[in-house]
Amino acid sequence: MKLTFNKTYFIVFILLFLIEVAIAYYLKSGFIRHTFGDFLVVILLYCFFKSFLKGSALPTALVTLCIAYVIEFLQLTTFLEVLGLKQKKWANLIFGNSFSVQDLVAYSLGIGVTLYFESRDVLNRLFISFTKNGN
């Protein structure tokens, strides 16, 4: 992997981050908050990594999925308490506070969709189409 900056992935990362913030702020429960947000967060992380690292999609996707799984399995422990972050709202929001197999499924589906889009070169096609229509 090589360090580089990819504006397209970074724009998608920012858009997904804003969507995640809106979900966290406006929705306190339900499918979108608890499942779709987890689906999106792995795509967000993937786009963040691809914003700064040039490499093939599969290794980046697998690293992203592993990070999501590790954070989910950490929720089975008292790691936030050990770090002194148990009472911090932002820490509970970012890292979660209860393990769920449903979250693992959402992460897996998010990475699956990401790899599908990458295999179809969807981001580059959208970006090229958008810039052509913008002129």
Side-chain angles (χ1 to χ4, degrees):
M1 292 204 165
K2 180 180 172 185
L3 281 177
T4 185
F5 181 71
N6 185 306
K7 184 171 76 170
T8 304
Y9 282 106
F10 193 72
I11 290 169
V12 174
F13 162 73
I14 295 296
L15 290 172
L16 288 172
F17 180 77
L18 293 173
I19 291 168
E20 287 283 6
V21 168
I23 288 171
Y25 185 77
Y26 291 109
L27 302 174
K28 301 304 176 203
S29 64
F31 174 81
I32 292 176
R33 169 69 184 252
H34 295 296
T35 304
F36 191 65
D38 292 330
F39 172 84
L40 288 180
V41 79
V42 292
I43 301 170
L44 175 145
L45 282 173
Y46 176 86
C47 288
F48 179 77
F49 293 144
K50 292 291 280 185
S51 295
F52 301 103
L53 298 171
K54 185 172 184 159
S56 60
L58 185 59
T60 306
L62 291 176
V63 166
T64 303
L65 187 60
C66 286
I67 290 169
Y69 275 26
V70 165
I71 290 171
E72 190 66 31
F73 280 104
L74 280 173
Q75 293 172 19
L76 289 169
T77 70
T78 58
F79 84 102
L80 286 178
E81 202 171 301
V82 170
L83 297 174
L85 300 173
K86 183 74 173 164
Q87 302 305 318
K88 304 290 183 187
K89 186 177 180 179
W90 62 268
N92 282 282
L93 184 64
I94 292 170
F95 294 109
N97 50 24
S98 63
F99 174 82
S100 171
V101 173
Q102 182 176 331
D103 292 350
L104 298 175
V105 172
Y107 301 147
S108 301
L109 290 173
I111 289 299
V113 167
T114 300
L115 288 171
Y116 176 78
F117 280 4
E118 288 286 51
S119 72
R120 302 284 185 226
D121 205 23
V122 171
L123 273 185
N124 285 326
R125 288 184 193 181
L126 281 174
F127 186 72
I128 290 168
S129 174
F130 180 74
T131 54
K132 281 183 181 177
N133 292 333
N135 289 335

